[in-house]
Amino acid sequence: MNSPISLPELEQAINYWREREPSRGEESRLCREAAALATPYALMIVGHRRELPPDELTPEARAAYEAWRNTRPATAN
């Protein structure tokens, strides 16, 4: 995985994990995978970035992103 990650892709990955494992507790805590992706997503928004190189993701965020991509049809990868 070397191609840049777009903001909409990151949002789709977060939503995938939120659907699989909804928020918990009174504080609506995100699951581990969605939480790992939420930080780079927020930084992209604040920094007005449209894309993010995969190497800027933490290992946890990259694993969550790749797991989401592996659920998509081959033509969408």
Side-chain angles (χ1 to χ4, degrees):
M1 176 179 89
N2 292 324
S3 58
I5 300 167
S6 70
L7 188 64
E9 281 182 305
L10 208 50
E11 184 174 9
Q12 289 172 19
I14 291 168
N15 289 334
Y16 167 81
W17 288 110
R18 290 183 67 212
E19 286 178 23
R20 279 196 57 153
E21 202 172 324
S23 300
R24 298 180 294 249
E26 287 185 27
E27 70 279 3
S28 297
R29 182 178 59 240
L30 293 172
C31 69
R32 183 174 45 93
E33 294 86 355
L37 294 167
T39 298
Y41 179 77
L43 292 173
M44 287 176 73
I45 291 172
V46 170
H48 303 283
R49 296 175 71 182
R50 293 184 178 179
E51 295 181 330
L52 179 75
D55 62 352
E56 289 188 23
L57 294 177
T58 64
E60 295 83 10
R62 189 169 181 148
Y65 177 78
E66 288 179 356
W68 165 73
R69 280 190 53 105
N70 289 334
T71 67
R72 298 173 66 205
T75 56
N77 286 330

